[in-house]
Amino acid sequence: MKFLHTMGAAGLMGAMAALLVMLSVAPPPSALASYAAVRGAMGAVATWIILPSLALMLVSGLLAMTLNRAFLNAGWAWLKLATGVLMFEGVLVYVQGPMQQEAEQSAGALAGRVDPATLAATLGPERNTLWVLLVVATANVVLGIWRPRLIRLPR
């Protein structure tokens, strides 16, 4: 379980870092063909790397908690679970959804169905959300390595 959990975390954090790089080098929407290609790639990363990595991380973490009774009494494990649920919500609502939508809109603009002036409205919020989620993911890694004695739950 630990191996799967670590692989999921590595995939998730690596994909978020890649998306930050792609956001920083994305051409402006006025270069529509290039912008649509980059946004399409970002949508694919969000769908095919971030979501499976997040699912792997959450499921393996939950299974580890159920299989290892010591985790049920460890405050750090419960804190990781809480922040993992926040990561799940943040990724679905503020990363994957908007990136998939922007990829579809930019493809639509390239095909002439969407006004190109409506593009790139979410670049700033996407960047900020990715930074926040990377900080939370890093805190989860620190908790998993350090395992501080936050609280002891009664047995």
Side-chain angles (χ1 to χ4, degrees):
M1 288 299 121
K2 182 170 176 60
F3 175 76
L4 292 176
H5 191 68
T6 302
M7 292 305 295
L12 179 66
M13 292 177 76
M16 287 191 296
L19 287 174
L20 280 168
V21 170
M22 293 170 97
L23 278 170
S24 69
V25 300
S30 58
L32 191 53
S34 299
Y35 180 80
V38 168
R39 291 307 290 207
M42 291 172 71
V45 168
T47 300
W48 297 106
I49 300 175
I50 285 189
L51 286 182
S53 296
L54 181 64
L56 178 63
M57 185 184 68
L58 285 174
V59 169
S60 62
L62 288 170
L63 284 174
M65 281 185 78
T66 59
L67 295 174
N68 188 341
R69 292 302 210 194
F71 289 163
L72 294 176
N73 297 322
W76 65 267
W78 287 100
L79 182 58
K80 277 188 65 147
L81 175 62
T83 56
V85 170
L86 290 174
M87 290 281 301
F88 180 72
E89 181 181 355
V91 165
L92 283 181
V93 174
Y94 300 108
V95 176
Q96 199 274 336
M99 288 200 177
Q100 196 64 29
Q101 183 179 11
E102 186 73 10
E104 291 168 5
Q105 282 186 326
S106 61
L110 195 58
R113 295 186 312 266
V114 175
D115 181 14
T118 62
L119 300 176
T122 60
L123 286 177
E126 286 175 15
R127 183 178 294 112
N128 295 341
T129 299
L130 284 167
W131 278 114
V132 168
L133 291 174
L134 268 174
V135 167
V136 172
T138 302
N140 276 344
V141 170
V142 169
L143 281 172
I145 293 170
W146 180 33
R147 297 182 176 186
R149 293 180 192 259
L150 300 174
I151 57 172
R152 286 272 177 194
L153 299 176
R155 291 182 186 227

